[in-house]
């Protein structure tokens, strides 16, 4: 019979790290299969393009890049062997380190291999049906001939986006403050603010644009009947996005701790002064990232203003595409929107990271 001390010693013995070999084998198989898929996709691209020697060299370089996931997969096997040697020598800590390193290499190989597979799938998609996708969406001659006209029309989209964003900042804040008015005196304004937000968040942007663009002209509404279609588009997008931004403002204001209100009111500040000098500045700092997200959506919705008869970038691209029976001009518009949206998206990510760091320190 074993004593209690021996039993505790056996129970306390540390377990050895698990083998890396099964994971390494799976990683190697995945890397090989994805590399083969990439090679087939590149060969399909080569047959479609019949490229010169320089492009052939580029395709070969891409094929070599597709083989790179094999490197960490092979390293995982080496880590497994080193783990076994350390374990045989009784060095448990180095064995665990090698096992963790092997699993990391295997997972890295699978991650990069799957990325290669996705890229190969995209290449295969563009070359399918004898390159019909490429000839329909990416004809260089149509891209070059339409770029100047589409770019000129794109400035209308930028003008509408900037004008609407400036108005949305003001109207959204006014609606948010109306919805937060306290007491019975503010109840009618709160109801109006709620009705406005619920209504314009429910109506699609394109319907608002259509009603404002044509309805105000047909009704001969004073002042509005003399406005240009661009200004009517700005007003329509302001009506729609002010409802969203008002909720962002409201969430930011309500996120401020009640002690801030109490401290400001105890110092003799009125409700309006407390809101203007204490609460809103703090709230604005918190809502910048979601506010920029709404503005990204707004600038994308400027592609809908063609329904009002405005010749923006999308309307211009459709006219050109109908003349050449090709969709490459529409791809130009898509690329322009991507070029102005991605920097803003990365800026939003940066602001979110800074806010998280700041709140974590506090």
């Amino acid at each position: 019979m074993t004593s209690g001390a021996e039993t505790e010693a056996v129970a306390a013995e540390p377990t050895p790290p698990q083998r890396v070999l099964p994971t390494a084998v799976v990683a190697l198989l995945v890397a090989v299969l994805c590399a083969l898929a990439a090679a087939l996709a590149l060969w399909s691209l080569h047959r479609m393009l019949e490229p010169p020697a320089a492009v052939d060299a580029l395709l070969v370089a891409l094929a070599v890049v597709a083989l790179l996931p094999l490197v960490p997969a092979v390293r995982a096997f080496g880590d497994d062997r080193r783990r076994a040697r350390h374990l045989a020598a009784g060095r448990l800590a180095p064995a665990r380190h090698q096992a963790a390193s092997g699993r990391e290499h295997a997972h890295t190989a699978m991650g990069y291999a799957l990325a290669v597979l996705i890229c190969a799938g995209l290449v295969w998609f563009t070359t399918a049906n004898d390159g019909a996708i490429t000839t329909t969406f990416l004809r260089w001659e149509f891209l070059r001939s339409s770029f100047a006209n589409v770019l000129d029309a794109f400035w209308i989209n930028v003008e509408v986006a900037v004008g609407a964003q400036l108005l949305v900042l003001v109207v959204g804040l006014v609606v948010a403050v109306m919805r937060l008015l306290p007491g019975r005196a503010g109840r009618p304004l709160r109801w109006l603010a709620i009705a406005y937000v619920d209504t314009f968040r429910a109506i699609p942007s394109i319907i608002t644009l259509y009603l404002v663009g044509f309805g105000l002209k047909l009704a001969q509404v004073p002042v509005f009947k003399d406005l240009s279609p661009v200004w009517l588009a700005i007003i329509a997008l302001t009506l729609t996005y002010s409802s969203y931004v008002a909720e962002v403002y409201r969430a930011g204001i309500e996120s401020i701790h009640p002690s801030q209100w109490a401290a400001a009111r105890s110092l003799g500040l009125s409700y309006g002064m407390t809101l203007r000098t204490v609460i809103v500045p703090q709230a604005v700092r918190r809502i910048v990232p979601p506010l920029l997200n709404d503005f990204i959506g707004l600038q994308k919705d400027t592609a809908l203003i063609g329904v009002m008869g405005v010749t923006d970038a999308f309307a211009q691209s459709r006219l050109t595409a109908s003349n050449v029976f090709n969709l490459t001009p529409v791809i130009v518009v898509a690329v322009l929107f991507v070029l102005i949206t991605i920097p803003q998206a990365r800026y939003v990510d940066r602001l979110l990271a800074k806010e998280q760091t700041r709140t974590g320190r506090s």
Side-chain angles (χ1 to χ4, degrees), residues 1 11 43 86 99 109 135 178 203 206 237 246 275 286 289 344:
M1 295 179 61
W43 176 248
H86 286 306
T135 55
M178 287 174 57
I203 300 175
I206 193 169
L237 290 175
L275 201 63
R286 296 183 179 184
Q344 297 177 67

Side-chain angles (χ1 to χ4, degrees), residues 305-324:
I305 64 177
V307 73
M308 306 172 61
V310 180
T311 308
D312 68 317
F314 183 47
Q316 180 64 45
S317 68
R318 283 186 298 148
L319 291 173
T320 307
S322 63
N323 290 331
V324 300

Side-chain angles (χ1 to χ4, degrees), residues 319-353:
L319 291 173
T320 307
S322 63
N323 290 331
V324 300
F325 299 101
N326 192 274
L327 295 179
T328 301
V330 183
I331 295 297
V332 175
V333 182
V335 170
L336 290 174
F337 274 106
V338 168
L339 290 177
I340 68 170
T341 300
I342 287 181
Q344 297 177 67
R346 298 289 73 79
Y347 182 61
V348 169
D349 292 341
R350 183 179 177 185
L351 290 176
L352 285 172

Side-chain angles (χ1 to χ4, degrees), residues 202-219:
I203 300 175
S205 300
I206 193 169
I207 294 179
T208 304
L209 286 165
Y210 191 85
L211 293 176
V212 171
F214 294 106
L216 298 182
K217 291 282 189 180
L218 290 174

Side-chain angles (χ1 to χ4, degrees), residues 1-15:
M1 295 179 61
T2 58
S3 64
E6 291 176 348
T7 304
E8 291 179 1
V10 172
E13 183 178 350
T15 57

Side-chain angles (χ1 to χ4, degrees):
M1 295 179 61
T2 58
S3 64
E6 291 176 348
T7 304
E8 291 179 1
V10 172
E13 183 178 350
T15 57
Q18 294 180 352
R19 298 190 64 185
V20 185
L21 186 60
T23 308
V25 170
V26 173
L28 183 62
L29 289 175
V30 171
V32 170
L33 292 176
C34 292
L36 289 175
L40 292 175
L42 291 173
W43 176 248
S44 176
L45 182 62
H46 169 80
R47 287 192 305 170
M48 186 193 73
L49 295 177
E50 297 181 357
V55 179
D56 275 337
L58 177 61
L59 295 178
V60 171
L62 292 175
V64 172
V65 171
L67 296 174
L68 290 180
L70 293 172
V71 175
V74 172
R75 287 181 177 177
F77 286 94
D79 289 327
D80 184 68
R81 289 193 299 270
R82 285 187 289 272
R83 164 206 160 275
R85 286 198 299 266
H86 286 306
L87 200 58
R91 297 189 293 268
L92 191 59
R96 285 178 173 172
H97 173 74
Q98 291 299 328
S101 177
R103 285 190 293 270
E104 179 67 22
H105 281 136
H107 294 157
T108 301
M110 287 188 281
Y112 279 91
L114 292 176
V116 168
L117 181 63
I118 293 173
C119 294
L122 292 175
V123 172
W124 176 84
F125 179 74
T126 57
T127 59
N129 195 17
D130 294 328
I133 298 296
T134 304
T135 55
T136 302
F137 293 99
L138 297 172
R139 290 285 293 274
W140 171 253
E141 60 270 23
F142 297 144
L143 188 150
R144 183 175 52 189
S145 62
S146 64
F147 182 79
N149 292 333
V150 172
L151 181 61
D152 288 340
F154 185 69
W155 291 113
I156 296 178
N157 296 84
V158 175
E159 179 183 347
V160 171
V162 173
Q165 287 168 4
L166 293 176
L167 290 177
V168 163
L169 285 173
V170 178
V171 177
L173 180 58
V174 171
V175 174
V177 171
M178 287 174 57
R179 188 163 182 179
L180 292 171
L181 288 174
R184 288 187 299 173
R187 186 178 300 166
L189 294 178
R190 289 200 303 271
W191 288 346
L192 289 175
I194 292 172
Y196 170 80
V197 170
D198 290 346
T199 300
F200 281 98
R201 283 199 304 178
I203 300 175
S205 300
I206 193 169
I207 294 179
T208 304
L209 286 165
Y210 191 85
L211 293 176
V212 171
F214 294 106
L216 298 182
K217 291 282 189 180
L218 290 174
Q220 292 292 300
V221 178
V223 179
F224 293 101
K225 64 178 180 151
D226 299 322
L227 293 177
S228 66
V230 171
W231 270 107
L232 292 176
I234 292 174
I235 292 172
L237 290 175
T238 300
L239 289 173
T240 297
Y241 276 89
S242 292
S243 61
Y244 293 100
V245 171
E247 291 298 281
V248 173
Y249 273 123
R250 184 171 70 91
I253 292 172
E254 290 182 343
S255 70
I256 305 301
H257 198 273
S259 62
Q260 299 288 318
W261 290 87
R265 298 305 296 271
S266 66
L267 292 175
L269 297 181
S270 65
Y271 178 85
M273 291 183 65
T274 300
L275 201 63
R276 179 171 57 87
T277 60
V278 178
I279 304 301
V280 170
Q282 296 182 69
V284 167
R285 184 175 181 178
R286 296 183 179 184
I287 66 171
V288 168
L291 197 61
L292 289 177
N293 280 328
D294 282 338
F295 283 170
I296 290 173
L298 189 155
Q299 72 187 19
K300 290 191 298 181
D301 275 357
T302 60
L304 301 174
I305 64 177
V307 73
M308 306 172 61
V310 180
T311 308
D312 68 317
F314 183 47
Q316 180 64 45
S317 68
R318 283 186 298 148
L319 291 173
T320 307
S322 63
N323 290 331
V324 300
F325 299 101
N326 192 274
L327 295 179
T328 301
V330 183
I331 295 297
V332 175
V333 182
V335 170
L336 290 174
F337 274 106
V338 168
L339 290 177
I340 68 170
T341 300
I342 287 181
Q344 297 177 67
R346 298 289 73 79
Y347 182 61
V348 169
D349 292 341
R350 183 179 177 185
L351 290 176
L352 285 172
K354 288 177 64 176
E355 180 65 21
Q356 291 173 357
T357 302
R358 186 183 66 84
T359 54
R361 290 176 180 174
S362 60

